[in-house]
Amino acid sequence: MSQMLVYMTVPGLDEARKIASHLVENRLCACVNTLPGMSSVYRWQGQVCHAEEVVMIAKTTQDRLESLIRAVKSLHSYECPCIVSWPITSGFSPFLQWIQEETTI
């Protein structure tokens, strides 16, 4: 199996909900957790910035990853959004199977 976790950040909860709904409705992922209230410090265009953001964690598969990234990029308000992924190497088998089933078209 090739399940993945995708970590993303967005500037607010409305944008997170919009992106999450699109991803799940289009079977690009099985689930998205949204975690508001994250504080970020980062360098952008030569300046140190401070921002409140929302973390998003999507459960998907390797097969759906590129489509998910394209969809997030098209809906995201940032010029260069944080979208990173890593493989799920183990876990509760029924849950991993559910991810697989929910992302199959």
Side-chain angles (χ1 to χ4, degrees):
M1 294 190 181
S2 59
Q3 294 84 1
M4 309 284 294
L5 290 176
V6 182
Y7 173 89
M8 301 165 281
T9 59
V10 296
L13 196 51
D14 288 343
E15 188 167 324
R17 287 178 176 152
K18 176 182 172 183
I19 292 171
S21 292
H22 178 84
L23 297 178
V24 173
E25 288 167 5
N26 290 282
R27 295 190 175 271
L28 297 173
C29 66
C31 172
V32 180
N33 301 118
T34 56
L35 307 160
M38 180 190 61
S39 180
S40 296
V41 179
Y42 56 94
R43 184 176 300 279
W44 180 248
Q45 298 179 339
Q47 294 186 16
V48 175
C49 302
H50 298 259
E52 295 297 314
E53 294 184 295
V54 175
V55 171
M56 299 175 67
I57 303 171
K59 290 90 171 180
T60 192
T61 60
Q62 180 68 48
D63 292 344
R64 302 300 282 154
L65 183 60
E66 287 306 314
S67 295
L68 181 148
I69 291 171
R70 279 193 303 276
V72 171
K73 178 64 178 113
S74 73
L75 296 167
H76 208 292
S77 62
Y78 289 168
E79 181 182 333
C80 184
C82 170
I83 310 168
V84 296
S85 66
W86 61 93
I88 298 173
T89 58
S90 64
F92 183 55
S93 289
F95 182 76
L96 299 177
Q97 183 61 39
W98 174 76
I99 294 171
Q100 200 73 33
E101 290 168 3
E102 291 303 314
T103 56
T104 300
I105 304 176

